[in-house]
Amino acid sequence: MTDMPAAPLSTPLSEFRDGIADLWPAMVAAAPIGLLYGAIATTKGLSPIEVALSSALIFAGGAQLAAIELWTVPVPVAALVVSTLLINARYLLMSASLAPKVARLPLIGRLFGFHVLADENWALAERRAARQPITAAYFFGMGAAFWVNWVAWSYAGTILGPLLGDPRRFGADFAFTAIFIGLIVGFVTGPRTGLVVVVSALAATGAFVAFGSPWHVLVGALAGMAAAVLAYRDDAAPKGETA
């Protein structure tokens, strides 16, 4: 009987490399969106430094695009607050789902990791957690790379955006959506998870048609939560107790 080869030990560097290998398609997809944001922000009067700072401090592409579309003088503060609050409300749910899976990481690592949380690296972290424990090098490293990528392309948009024109005419604004759909499909492991995804998608679509953006984000999230509670209530019930 021969000895089985030992599994290679993971190191912070290998974990970071795994994160970049998983994330690079989303980083490519972020390029046209960042260019679009930088170009629009420049036309609204923001300087390149202000654009870069906004991306670095806010780091929420959907909310940034919604805010810059609404940006006028005087600034419509109430509309900006409501729209960005609704769009970013999903981060509460995403953070809550990841919190127990990164609970053993140092507090400072978790804080920075959640600051650079986005739809794509959240989905990748969830997928990673289903196979093996999430390390700080993977979680924060992947998020930090995505953050740098977004800030860099936003800044580039202030220079290149006006020369390239609107990326939306090429359908580039759908790149993020397409990647995220692919990631979500990977979570469908059975009828119940499929039900949650379908209910959330249908509710979000209906809300978008009926009320427009950004209400569809909140409605889709709440519908998905309700569907998950109903679909998994038997698992949550105490042993020997029927629903």
Side-chain angles (χ1 to χ4, degrees):
M1 183 176 179
T2 58
D3 294 334
M4 295 295 292
L9 294 176
S10 64
T11 64
L13 182 57
S14 68
E15 289 285 309
F16 176 73
R17 287 173 176 168
D18 286 349
I20 300 302
D22 290 343
L23 188 67
W24 74 262
M27 295 174 68
V28 173
I33 312 301
L35 290 172
L36 176 64
Y37 171 70
I40 296 176
T42 300
T43 64
K44 294 299 182 80
L46 273 68
S47 70
I49 295 300
E50 289 171 331
V51 170
L53 282 174
S54 66
S55 286
L57 296 175
I58 301 171
F59 189 57
Q64 288 177 239
L65 283 168
I68 207 64
E69 292 281 3
L70 293 171
W71 194 271
T72 57
V73 179
V75 177
V77 176
L80 286 173
V81 170
V82 171
S83 63
T84 54
L85 180 63
L86 288 173
I87 292 172
N88 286 343
R90 70 191 190 280
Y91 287 113
L92 294 174
L93 304 177
M94 291 157 58
S95 299
S97 74
L98 271 181
K101 297 155 190 168
V102 297
R104 64 188 186 85
L105 301 184
L107 176 61
I108 190 68
R110 280 178 281 156
L111 292 176
F112 280 114
F114 282 119
H115 173 66
V116 293
L117 190 66
D119 299 279
E120 288 72 22
N121 56 339
W122 164 78
L124 290 169
E126 287 282 359
R127 191 172 69 180
R128 181 83 165 185
R131 303 193 306 265
Q132 63 192 84
I134 298 177
T135 64
Y138 183 88
F139 182 53
F140 177 64
M142 179 174 57
F146 207 26
W147 177 83
V148 170
N149 186 71
W150 175 250
V151 174
W153 283 113
S154 298
Y155 182 82
T158 66
I159 301 168
L160 300 177
L163 302 176
L164 298 175
D166 190 346
R168 286 177 293 194
R169 61 195 172 129
F170 306 115
D173 55 325
F174 189 69
F176 262 154
T177 305
I179 287 179
F180 195 64
I181 290 173
L183 291 171
I184 291 300
V185 168
F187 287 124
V188 179
T189 57
R192 292 189 294 183
T193 52
L195 174 66
V196 173
V197 171
V198 170
V199 168
S200 180
L202 290 176
T205 301
F208 182 79
V209 172
F211 309 113
S213 179
W215 297 100
H216 65 295
V217 177
L218 180 62
V219 171
L222 293 176
M225 290 173 60
V229 169
L230 293 175
Y232 290 90
R233 60 181 175 177
D234 291 341
D235 293 351
K239 298 296 182 180
E241 181 177 318
T242 58

